[in-house]
Amino acid sequence: MTTVAQNTPGKQSNARAVAPTTDTELESFLAAAQAAASPLAALRPAERAKLLDAVADALDSAADQLVPVAQRETRLAEGRLRGELKRTTFQLRLFGELLRDGGYLDARIDHADADWPMGAPRPDLRRVLAPLGPVVVFAASNFPFAFSAAGGDTASALAAGSPVLLKAHSGHPQLSLLTAEVVTSALAAEGAPEGTFALITGTAAGAAALRDPRIKAGAFTGSIPGGRALFDIASSRPEPIPFFGELGSNNPVFVTEAAADDRSMEIAEGFIGSFTLGAGQFCTKPGTLFVPAGSRLVDALRNAALPPAAPLLNDRIQSGYAEVLQELQANHRVTVLAQGSDPLADPPSPTLLLTTAADMLAEPHALQAECFGPTAVVVAYDDESQLPQIAETFEGQLTATIHGTDSCNVAGLIEILARKAGRVLWNQWSTGVSVTYAQQHGGPYPATTAAGSTSVGTAAIERFLRPIAYQGFPQHLLPESLREENPLGVPRLVDGRREG
Amino acid sequence: MTTVAQNTPGKQSNARAVAPTTDTELESFLAAAQAAASPLAALRPAERAKLLDAVADALDSAADQLVPVAQRETRLAEGRLRGELKRTTFQLRLFGELLRDGGYLDARIDHADADWPMGAPRPDLRRVLAPLGPVVVFAASNFPFAFSAAGGDTASALAAGSPVLLKAHSGHPQLSLLTAEVVTSALAAEGAPEGTFALITGTAAGAAALRDPRIKAGAFTGSIPGGRALFDIASSRPEPIPFFGELGSNNPVFVTEAAADDRSMEIAEGFIGSFTLGAGQFCTKPGTLFVPAGSRLVDALRNAALPPAAPLLNDRIQSGYAEVLQELQANHRVTVLAQGSDPLADPPSPTLLLTTAADMLAEPHALQAECFGPTAVVVAYDDESQLPQIAETFEGQLTATIHGTDSCNVAGLIEILARKAGRVLWNQWSTGVSVTYAQQHGGPYPATTAAGSTSVGTAAIERFLRPIAYQGFPQHLLPESLREENPLGVPRLVDGRREG
């Protein structure tokens, strides 16, 4: 791939474009990925863990080269980017830990049982998860490390043993190239099969890869229209494949009357910090805050100091943000609660809008649309008993949050929010998404196209695996994880009982 | 629903049709299913286990009413049907056992950790699987108990806590009605929420249910065209939903030279028994047998006594079978190896066709099509080294089998077959699908539309669950499975370590 001058007329972008992947290049990447699939799958989990560690080490070592490029292309601050890179390499190593443990294989052994009460003897059956094969990952714009070339989808797919074609995001092309060079060099030095990872660029190449029969799954983080278009491609193939898209979310927050009474300043500050974090460009940004009408919390929000204007990631996001904000402000159900001096400028100062519960019930779709940038809508409700009904109007969400007190009667609201969202929070803010064993970053459509999966946390590996059962096999022909003596020492379910 | 006389001209069917579900009826079933979703999900797993046990007991008690109706509608023998009913009630109880164990919840607890090495403190995060909500299950024709009204999909969905709308198969409408009455009565008597289970009839009602926003997943066992059409409906909804379709499979069997030498009579007998089991109407019927050209196994198959003609399930399957068989016989690459006296009659006597490896390589798609009924294709190969190349020509399969000896060099072939199929067998026959912990009944498309899942075995419950994480919650507002004291005693992953 060659760096080319960007010829778009008008304002110079902060990101120098790279030439799109040609058909010939794509074909060679696909062929290499397919060739890599079996040898990569054949590596012991602990061997793949070494690959992930090597990539993490190489990225850490390259921090001083990577971060300045990221700063230039994304306008994000150095501290934020260094923190994000740390998270990214931690994530790779955490998947390495998961591989060394082996529990992710979900290995199961049923010994033959002539008296199995089903009515017929049970054969010897052994089941283990195996990689799907090559996958295409579409990187996000807003996390140039953690959800991009070497981000969560890449880490979980490689951990599973699936080669990755990484469709670079056009928002940080040079960083993507540089990251990919670090990744491929580290993989090669550690002896990974050639074709384990490749970067592709350009919308057409991404769609072509997703259509290719050698690709067995897609993963994506981005907008609802973009993600849905790719989901439709994946689903309408002659051989449909799973598509793990994280699309959009409003992330509503419900403040009870008691909490608004008790902690109005704390909640106002926390909310403002959360919806303006990263200039409001988090998929987990709280877009709506439900507060008691006439409460001190409304005043606290009205009078709070909003953070200064901060640049958005790129021109396209800036213009999209201004458009959605103007549309929201033009809605007769909405007034401005608090706003900096330049809400529509580049960079934009933050905006808090105000509406009522009745208005949101009247027009939920328009008032719950995701606004990617530093704007949120405060909804004044008359009575806490309105909250369940309003909560039901939301589509699928990544997160939903309640700020309450221990004595609040919120069981019904929690039940609704748990039906709507992948993660429900109590007295915390949704923006941060910790990489852990129990994390769930997902949710019903349109938050994602695959509510049964997560894109953050160790369970993300499950997306790129499928089960295979071996029936009646002699020991020497079984995968190691299923052999009687358990040479890999993985935890297993043996005749229905957990071992190890 | 009312039983109506079937007015189709021509031969009287063995199954009296029932009136299709009306729009009004469907609406009431959907509303009831939605109303049942939360209370059903709120039951403790062990409470749902009682519901499954009650259904199993009621079905066992009704065996003498159910089996004669099944015999009349499906032309299957009483012994087979009684065995299938036993399997069906065993399956329900096995899911009950799974619920009482609680491991299926995949409960995970990460305690807050200020020193979490990601670069930011880890919040308290707790994750558990919860039901998807109401699902629609499309019953199969060929297993009127085990894959029908109270079959595997119903059992796993109810176990998960998802209400079921069961689209009856038109091949056994009276049995479906009767089974549904037994199921709904047992559920009601045990105190299940009203709307937990309902039977619907008619293609239009099934499709309408699948399109309804209250339905959150579909499951299906049947043909490739039928399953793909429903998958497309599920995927193209405004809110796409997962569709777990088991469509079709050829289930190829590869006999090595050494095995053909050693065990020609045994393999010939086993194969004939397997491909004619249930008159060849198993989705796991071995449709293709690869044998060494000129081996004793070819002679053994040519000279073997084929079983007598047996009736197919219904007229539609009979005419479809005759059509596919005629097409296969007309292919110039195919000759008849062995055949009863009335291969195209009703009932049809079994047929074994013969072709060569070179011919199958020349025209894999035509010669690998599923033929639902007592026909299989024997493929004579010149050299074992041809097998990997031929194996690569197969699409996704439910099963693939090798008959070999311990000294055969088959690692490469196993690797290919494990990529193609959900279950790989060694020196056994694929027809039987044991209900166990380690069973995998699935496979890449077109075997299924969801290669990551199984429709038989305890792991089938995972299809109807999705993860929810709770962040920062006080104990009393958490689901019981995630509370610190573990009142349900479920196994959990705590701070990355398995407990219980």
Side-chain angles (χ1 to χ4, degrees):
Chain A
M1 265 160 294
T2 331
T3 301
V4 296
Q6 186 170 319
N7 293 319
T8 325
K11 189 175 171 187
Q12 179 62 41
S13 165
N14 48 330
R16 263 186 310 155
V18 297
T21 300
T22 65
D23 291 352
T24 313
E25 287 168 336
L26 180 61
E27 172 54 34
S28 78
F29 291 145
L30 286 163
Q34 188 179 33
S38 289
L40 188 64
L43 291 179
R44 292 191 172 117
E47 292 169 333
R48 280 206 304 279
K50 278 199 222 168
L51 300 182
L52 297 179
D53 287 350
V55 171
D57 292 346
L59 289 168
D60 279 340
S61 301
D64 289 344
Q65 287 80 58
L66 294 168
V67 169
V69 180
Q71 285 178 262
R72 193 181 69 234
E73 290 192 320
T74 66
R75 310 180 191 178
L76 294 169
E78 180 181 352
R80 141 77 194 267
L81 288 166
R82 287 198 181 268
E84 189 186 326
L85 179 56
K86 181 173 181 181
R87 168 204 178 91
T88 303
T89 58
F90 168 80
Q91 183 164 255
L92 286 157
R93 293 189 186 97
L94 189 66
F95 278 109
E97 182 195 300
L98 190 76
L99 294 178
R100 291 188 175 95
D101 172 78
Y104 83 97
L105 290 166
D106 192 19
R108 303 173 180 215
I109 295 177
D110 291 333
H111 293 102
D113 181 352
D115 302 320
W116 187 234
M118 187 186 82
R122 183 175 79 183
D124 184 282
L125 272 167
R126 295 163 190 244
R127 182 185 195 262
V128 68
L129 300 184
L132 287 182
V135 304
V136 57
V137 170
F138 295 82
S141 64
N142 56 340
F143 286 87
F145 291 118
F147 289 81
S148 192
D153 291 342
T154 295
S156 52
L158 292 180
S162 287
V164 171
L165 255 62
L166 191 289
K167 157 64 174 62
H169 196 281
S170 59
H172 46 272
Q174 299 298 334
L175 177 66
S176 303
L177 274 180
L178 195 54
T179 307
E181 281 169 22
V182 173
V183 171
T184 46
S185 301
L187 288 171
E190 196 63 30
E194 211 187 313
T196 295
F197 179 89
L199 189 85
I200 62 175
T201 50
T203 307
L210 190 61
R211 285 193 180 95
D212 192 276
R214 288 164 288 195
I215 292 294
K216 298 304 180 190
F220 167 90
T221 309
S223 72
I224 293 180
R228 181 62 193 248
L230 292 172
F231 171 83
D232 289 343
I233 289 176
S235 305
S236 60
R237 290 168 34 133
E239 176 197 353
I241 53 173
F243 185 78
F244 304 99
E246 186 212 311
L247 312 191
S249 188
N250 183 286
N251 307 299
V253 179
F254 299 81
V255 184
T256 66
E257 290 163 359
D261 255 10
D262 280 10
R263 311 191 305 266
S264 61
M265 290 308 295
E266 178 194 329
I267 292 172
E269 276 171 30
F271 177 63
I272 289 167
S274 184
F275 93 83
T276 60
L277 190 67
Q281 300 168 110
F282 276 51
C283 49
T284 49
K285 180 198 82 172
T288 308
L289 184 78
F290 292 91
V291 303
S295 66
R296 279 181 293 177
L297 177 51
V298 180
D299 296 329
L301 289 164
R302 184 181 289 115
N303 302 323
L306 294 176
L312 299 186
L313 288 160
N314 55 54
D315 297 346
R316 203 157 59 88
I317 288 178
Q318 166 71 30
S319 60
Y321 169 71
E323 198 177 305
V324 174
L325 175 54
Q326 279 176 300
E327 203 171 306
L328 269 173
Q329 289 196 152
N331 191 309
H332 73 281
R333 300 181 188 280
V334 166
T335 58
V336 171
L337 179 63
Q339 201 163 44
S341 52
D342 300 299
L344 295 169
D346 178 2
S349 45
T351 291
L352 268 183
L353 301 174
L354 182 67
T355 187
T356 68
D359 281 312
M360 180 161 273
L361 280 171
E363 212 176 340
H365 196 75
L367 297 181
Q368 291 168 7
E370 188 180 14
C371 178
F372 199 75
T375 282
V377 177
V378 175
V379 183
Y381 65 81
D382 296 320
D383 192 291
E384 235 170 73
S385 64
Q386 295 175 290
L387 296 184
Q389 189 194 354
I390 295 191
E392 289 283 12
T393 67
F394 278 87
E395 294 185 294
Q397 301 290 326
L398 290 171
T399 75
T401 300
I402 301 175
H403 285 267
T405 67
D406 274 4
S407 54
C408 286
N409 178 15
V410 287
L413 184 59
I414 292 172
E415 192 274 331
I416 295 166
L417 297 181
R419 246 194 293 121
K420 298 280 179 180
R423 179 165 53 115
V424 188
L425 298 90
W426 177 261
N427 290 351
Q428 299 194 10
W429 298 100
S430 52
T431 0
V433 186
S434 193
V435 180
T436 81
Y437 312 102
Q439 183 58 275
Q440 173 58 25
H441 190 59
Y445 189 88
T448 78
T449 58
S453 70
T454 180
S455 65
V456 177
T458 55
I461 197 172
E462 297 169 13
R463 297 174 297 166
F464 304 113
L465 297 166
R466 71 175 183 89
I468 300 170
Y470 294 82
Q471 181 174 330
F473 269 76
Q475 291 294 312
H476 72 285
L477 293 176
L478 282 168
E480 285 182 306
S481 56
L482 297 178
R483 291 184 193 164
E484 207 59 27
E485 75 272 24
N486 197 5
L488 300 182
V490 301
R492 309 195 286 199
L493 191 74
V494 179
D495 299 326
R497 282 180 295 276
R498 279 171 291 280
E499 292 189 357
Chain B
M1 265 161 293
T2 332
T3 301
V4 296
Q6 185 171 319
N7 293 319
T8 324
K11 188 172 171 188
Q12 179 62 40
S13 165
N14 47 331
R16 263 185 311 155
V18 297
T21 300
T22 65
D23 291 352
T24 312
E25 287 167 335
L26 180 61
E27 173 54 34
S28 78
F29 291 145
L30 285 163
Q34 188 179 34
S38 289
L40 187 64
L43 291 179
R44 291 191 174 116
E47 292 169 333
R48 280 205 304 279
K50 279 199 222 167
L51 300 181
L52 297 179
D53 287 350
V55 171
D57 292 347
L59 289 168
D60 279 340
S61 301
D64 290 344
Q65 287 79 58
L66 295 167
V67 169
V69 180
Q71 285 178 261
R72 193 180 69 233
E73 290 192 320
T74 66
R75 311 180 190 177
L76 294 169
E78 180 181 352
R80 141 76 194 266
L81 289 165
R82 287 200 182 266
E84 190 185 325
L85 179 56
K86 180 172 182 181
R87 169 203 177 92
T88 303
T89 57
F90 167 80
Q91 184 164 254
L92 286 157
R93 293 189 186 97
L94 189 65
F95 278 110
E97 182 195 300
L98 190 76
L99 294 178
R100 291 187 175 96
D101 171 77
Y104 84 97
L105 290 166
D106 191 19
R108 303 173 180 215
I109 295 178
D110 291 332
H111 293 102
D113 181 352
D115 301 320
W116 187 233
M118 186 186 83
R122 182 175 81 183
D124 184 282
L125 272 167
R126 295 162 189 244
R127 182 184 194 262
V128 69
L129 300 184
L132 287 182
V135 304
V136 57
V137 170
F138 295 82
S141 64
N142 56 340
F143 286 87
F145 291 118
F147 289 81
S148 192
D153 291 342
T154 295
S156 53
L158 292 180
S162 287
V164 171
L165 255 63
L166 192 290
K167 156 65 175 62
H169 196 281
S170 59
H172 46 271
Q174 299 298 335
L175 177 66
S176 303
L177 275 180
L178 195 53
T179 307
E181 281 168 23
V182 174
V183 172
T184 46
S185 301
L187 287 171
E190 196 62 32
E194 210 187 314
T196 295
F197 179 89
L199 189 84
I200 61 174
T201 50
T203 307
L210 190 61
R211 285 193 181 94
D212 192 276
R214 288 164 288 195
I215 292 294
K216 298 304 181 189
F220 167 90
T221 308
S223 71
I224 293 179
R228 181 62 193 247
L230 293 172
F231 171 83
D232 289 343
I233 289 175
S235 305
S236 59
R237 290 167 34 132
E239 177 197 354
I241 53 173
F243 184 78
F244 303 99
E246 186 212 310
L247 312 191
S249 189
N250 183 285
N251 307 299
V253 179
F254 299 81
V255 184
T256 66
E257 290 162 359
D261 255 10
D262 280 10
R263 311 191 305 266
S264 61
M265 291 307 296
E266 179 194 329
I267 292 172
E269 277 171 30
F271 177 62
I272 289 167
S274 184
F275 93 83
T276 60
L277 190 68
Q281 299 168 110
F282 276 51
C283 49
T284 49
K285 180 198 82 171
T288 308
L289 184 78
F290 292 91
V291 303
S295 66
R296 281 181 294 179
L297 177 52
V298 179
D299 295 330
L301 289 163
R302 184 182 288 116
N303 302 323
L306 295 175
L312 299 186
L313 289 160
N314 56 54
D315 298 346
R316 203 157 58 89
I317 287 177
Q318 166 70 30
S319 61
Y321 169 71
E323 198 177 304
V324 174
L325 175 54
Q326 280 176 299
E327 203 170 306
L328 269 173
Q329 289 196 153
N331 191 309
H332 72 282
R333 301 180 187 278
V334 165
T335 58
V336 171
L337 179 64
Q339 201 164 45
S341 53
D342 301 299
L344 295 168
D346 178 2
S349 45
T351 291
L352 268 184
L353 301 174
L354 182 67
T355 188
T356 68
D359 280 312
M360 181 161 273
L361 280 171
E363 213 176 340
H365 196 75
L367 298 181
Q368 291 168 8
E370 189 180 13
C371 178
F372 199 75
T375 282
V377 177
V378 175
V379 183
Y381 64 81
D382 296 320
D383 192 291
E384 235 170 74
S385 64
Q386 295 175 291
L387 296 184
Q389 189 194 354
I390 294 190
E392 289 283 12
T393 67
F394 278 87
E395 295 184 294
Q397 301 290 326
L398 291 172
T399 75
T401 300
I402 300 175
H403 285 267
T405 68
D406 274 4
S407 54
C408 287
N409 177 16
V410 288
L413 184 59
I414 293 172
E415 191 273 332
I416 295 166
L417 298 181
R419 246 194 293 121
K420 298 280 180 182
R423 179 165 53 115
V424 188
L425 298 91
W426 177 261
N427 290 351
Q428 299 194 10
W429 298 100
S430 53
T431 359
V433 185
S434 193
V435 180
T436 82
Y437 312 101
Q439 183 57 276
Q440 172 58 24
H441 191 59
Y445 189 87
T448 78
T449 58
S453 70
T454 181
S455 65
V456 177
T458 55
I461 197 173
E462 297 169 14
R463 297 175 297 166
F464 304 112
L465 297 166
R466 72 175 183 90
I468 300 170
Y470 294 82
Q471 180 174 331
F473 268 77
Q475 292 294 312
H476 72 284
L477 293 176
L478 282 168
E480 285 181 306
S481 57
L482 297 179
R483 291 185 194 163
E484 207 59 27
E485 75 272 24
N486 197 5
L488 300 182
V490 301
R492 309 195 287 199
L493 190 74
V494 179
D495 299 327
R497 282 179 295 275
R498 280 170 291 278
E499 291 188 359

